[in-house]
Amino acid sequence: MTRYGIASAWVVLLSAPASAGSLAPSFDCAKAQSDAEEAICASDALASLDLELARLYRLAIKGPNATADRVEALKQSQRDWLRERAECWKASIGLEVCVANAYAFRIHALREGYSDARSDDANGASLGPVAYRCDGLDALLGAVFVNTREPVVSLSWLSYGIVLPRVESGSGAKYASDLWDSSPALFWTQGDTATFAPPGGTEVQCRREPIG
């Protein structure tokens, strides 16, 4: 499944959902039309992702750079994404994990493709994209930080993408998963530097690059 040009995407298990039902998503849960929407209504973690995505979408579709052609393209891509999200009931990784990763990738796509979506970050829960140049990696690594109820980072490079959950660390912001026995995936930022290890790969050092 492709996502904003990413031909392959690894997914990881997020932690258990927060207490259910206390946070209302952007849609009416009484009219939930899919297993994915029911899962969002039952999880504060997923509901917080939904609210952040809805905020970014509103900014992108109503911003000063929202020409008629771009608005129509955005609406179509959103419809396509909603259909993909509804298919998460089929995912071998589990419904909730599939939905969470779908939101993280979509947030990444909106922030990367629409500058208007980045116009009100003081009132949001996501940041980026931030570019990193990593030793031995023949492309920039793009990172979008999604600081909702269960923070994650969405990373993209070459034709790949990954979503990693934030874990405890003594310093900086560390995102990791040991889902891969051969070599855990890792992204650990400390100031303008970061350590990155893709699934099954070795750790490399990265430096933040200016964008624009």
Side-chain angles (χ1 to χ4, degrees):
M1 180 182 297
T2 59
R3 296 183 189 274
Y4 59 98
I6 291 178
S8 322
W10 289 294
V11 289
V12 301
L13 291 174
L14 304 181
S15 58
S19 57
S22 61
L23 183 64
S26 65
F27 56 89
D28 185 353
C29 285
K31 299 178 181 179
Q33 297 181 350
S34 66
D35 289 346
E37 290 190 347
E38 290 178 359
I40 294 163
C41 292
S43 166
D44 285 353
L46 295 180
S48 65
L49 285 166
D50 179 78
L51 290 170
E52 176 62 7
L53 178 57
R55 186 187 71 86
L56 296 174
Y57 183 76
R58 286 194 301 270
L59 289 171
I61 210 164
K62 295 180 179 179
N65 297 309
T67 63
D69 288 346
R70 282 178 63 80
V71 166
E72 182 53 38
L74 176 57
K75 288 181 177 179
Q76 183 58 55
S77 67
Q78 188 73 0
R79 288 191 290 267
D80 292 341
W81 176 79
L82 288 170
R83 283 193 291 269
E84 291 179 7
R85 188 193 66 179
E87 294 294 304
C88 274
W89 68 272
K90 302 177 181 178
S92 60
I93 57 173
L95 173 64
E96 291 82 5
V97 178
C98 177
V99 171
N101 281 276
Y103 271 100
F105 283 127
R106 183 60 175 162
I107 287 170
H108 192 139
L110 289 182
R111 294 193 63 88
E112 187 174 68
Y114 296 87
S115 60
D116 291 332
R118 307 189 297 269
S119 64
D120 191 27
D121 285 352
N123 293 311
S126 59
L127 296 170
V130 179
Y132 291 86
R133 187 172 299 280
C134 302
D135 298 336
L137 194 65
D138 294 332
L140 290 176
L141 176 70
V144 167
F145 301 92
V146 186
N147 299 312
T148 50
R149 289 291 180 94
E150 293 184 2
V152 299
V153 65
S154 170
L155 302 171
S156 65
W157 72 102
L158 296 173
S159 59
Y160 304 103
I162 187 171
V163 176
L164 294 174
R166 187 164 180 171
V167 297
E168 291 186 6
S169 65
S171 61
K174 185 177 182 181
Y175 305 83
S177 171
D178 58 1
L179 187 62
W180 301 271
D181 294 334
S182 58
S183 178
L186 170 73
F187 186 67
W188 193 348
T189 65
Q190 294 178 303
D192 289 333
T193 64
T195 300
F196 172 57
T202 57
E203 292 185 6
V204 295
Q205 298 305 306
C206 308
R207 296 161 300 283
R208 183 168 177 168
E209 290 276 309
I211 296 179

Coordinates of all heavy atoms in Angstrom, one line a residue, residues 37 64 109 139 169 178 187 206:
E37 N -13.9 3.5 12.7 CA -14.5 4.6 13.4 C -15.0 4.2 14.8 O -14.8 4.9 15.8 CB -15.7 5.2 12.7 CG -15.2 5.9 11.4 CD -16.4 6.7 10.8 OE1 -17.5 6.5 11.1 OE2 -16.0 7.6 9.9
P64 N -4.6 30.3 2.8 CA -4.4 31.2 1.7 C -3.9 30.6 0.4 O -4.0 31.1 -0.6 CB -3.5 32.2 2.3 CG -2.8 31.6 3.4 CD -3.8 30.6 4.0
A109 N 1.8 13.3 5.6 CA 1.5 13.7 4.2 C 0.9 15.1 4.2 O 1.3 15.9 3.3 CB 0.5 12.7 3.6
A139 N 19.7 9.6 1.0 CA 18.6 10.5 0.9 C 18.4 11.1 2.3 O 18.8 10.6 3.3 CB 17.3 9.7 0.5
S169 N 13.3 7.8 28.0 CA 14.8 8.0 27.8 C 15.3 9.0 28.8 O 14.5 9.8 29.3 CB 15.1 8.5 26.4 OG 14.5 9.8 26.2
D178 N 11.0 -3.0 19.5 CA 11.8 -4.2 19.4 C 11.0 -5.3 18.6 O 11.2 -6.5 18.8 CB 12.3 -4.7 20.7 CG 11.1 -5.0 21.7 OD1 9.9 -4.8 21.2 OD2 11.3 -5.3 22.8
F187 N 14.8 5.7 16.7 CA 15.1 7.1 16.3 C 15.2 7.9 17.6 O 14.2 8.0 18.3 CB 14.0 7.7 15.4 CG 14.3 9.0 14.8 CD1 15.3 9.2 13.9 CD2 13.5 10.1 15.2 CE1 15.6 10.5 13.4 CE2 13.8 11.4 14.7 CZ 14.8 11.6 13.8
C206 N 22.8 11.1 12.6 CA 22.2 12.0 11.7 C 22.3 13.5 12.2 O 22.4 13.7 13.4 CB 20.7 11.7 11.5 SG 20.3 10.0 11.1

